[in-house]
Amino acid sequence: MVAGSARKLMTQMRRGAIEYCVLALLRDRDRYGFELTKALSAADGLVTSEGTVYPLLARLRQDGLVDTSWQESSQGPPRRYYRLTDDGRVALEAFMLQWKTFRDTVDSLMDGGERQ
Amino acid sequence: MTRTDVDGIVDEYLHRLDAALGPLPAPRRQQLVTEITEHLDEARSEIPIETEAAVRELLDRVGQPEEIAAEALADQPGRDRSSRRGLVLGLVGLAVLLAVGLTLGLALSGGGSTPTATSVAVPNVLGMSTDQATSQLKSLGEGVRIAQSPNGPFPAGLVVSQSPPVGVTIPRGSVVTLYVASSVPATTTVTSVPSSATSTSTTITYPVAP
């Protein structure tokens, strides 16, 4: 295994995980697009650019995991808010469970490997 | 640097994005361009002074249009659609948007669209000419921003999309963006604000650094 393939794997894992990170950001409250992209960009190395979040949101909406509504804003015009649907909540919970197991398993093997 | 120059840079960016999203079905393409436009409006409202450099930096953060398009096309199976099918889908998309807008409007205004002194329901100006749509919005006290949308089957000069959509309640004096079908290829930057709307667009001149 060379360094290049580890990088490729990380890219793929990031791509897969980021959708669930969006769902997680919507778990406790609705957010508008600009707010979501800000939160995701603040997380180091997760998204390459703010704009790529929107195709992802479109995909989540198409899959019925999020939906949108217009909400009044205290300043300026109303905003398009994203909301987690019931299906989205189920998908997020399922992912979190599997992710934790996966993460712990990999971590323990990595730690064991280091100790040898 | 005037506001109009900065608008030109943003419009050029949106044209590039629209062109890069070409292979997507029209409603999905329109949706993405609309959402990126909303994002840019939000981001621009946070800039204290809209210099060209500030706006270019903002666009850099949003990313190259081609990069966004690549993400959007990643899960798009390479189906080839006849132009007839594209047209039908486009029309269905518009009808759905319209229905959603109307439903939202009814829900938000509690059954009747009664404009108050401070807010107003966005009227339906889809399919109107740019001038017609602009004067209707101005009569309600709304500002108007025109964005060209190289939108396939529709005659040039007609409003094909609007943001916020029909029926949404907005504060009086907010700006409604009209997406106007253009026969011009996506590479040309055109920001045509009709004479009737010029009074609403402010030109701010910033001091030029020595």
Side-chain angles (χ1 to χ4, degrees), chain A residues 11-87:
Chain A
T11 306
Q12 283 166 355
M13 282 178 57
R14 204 176 288 130
R15 243 187 96 90
I18 187 172
E19 299 195 356
Y20 293 97
C21 294
V22 170
L23 298 183
L25 282 170
L26 297 173
R27 184 175 42 206
D28 297 326
R29 63 182 179 91
D30 302 352
R31 291 175 194 254
Y32 57 98
F34 186 61
E35 198 185 0
L36 272 174
T37 58
K38 263 187 164 176
L40 287 169
S41 306
D44 200 25
L46 200 57
V47 288
T48 47
S49 64
E50 294 173 0
T52 51
V53 175
Y54 291 95
L56 201 136
L57 285 167
R59 204 147 54 223
L60 291 173
R61 190 166 34 194
Q62 217 170 20
D63 293 344
L65 303 183
V66 303
D67 59 21
T68 59
S69 64
W70 288 82
Q71 291 180 25
E72 293 291 325
S73 139
S74 53
Q75 70 259 26
R79 289 165 169 152
R80 188 197 305 269
Y81 272 78
Y82 290 86
R83 189 184 68 89
L84 198 57
T85 62
D86 290 341
D87 281 354

Side-chain angles (χ1 to χ4, degrees), chain B residues 63-156:
Chain B
Q64 290 298 311
E66 293 72 22
E67 187 187 356
I68 299 171
E71 181 65 39
L73 294 166
D75 62 332
Q76 186 68 13
R79 273 170 289 173
D80 76 317
R81 302 160 182 279
S82 68
S83 60
R84 190 189 227 351
R85 178 142 185 235
L87 175 63
V88 170
L89 281 173
L91 290 174
V92 167
L94 273 181
V96 168
L97 273 177
L98 192 65
V100 168
L102 282 172
T103 317
L104 261 176
L106 285 177
L108 284 171
S109 58
S113 58
T114 38
T116 65
T118 52
S119 68
V120 63
V122 178
N124 180 8
V125 296
L126 296 175
M128 287 185 187
S129 73
T130 313
D131 285 342
Q132 258 182 320
T134 304
S135 62
Q136 185 170 342
L137 287 165
K138 280 189 69 192
S139 71
L140 291 167
E142 299 309 302
V144 176
R145 189 171 155 249
I146 311 287
Q148 298 285 324
S149 170
N151 205 42
F154 302 101

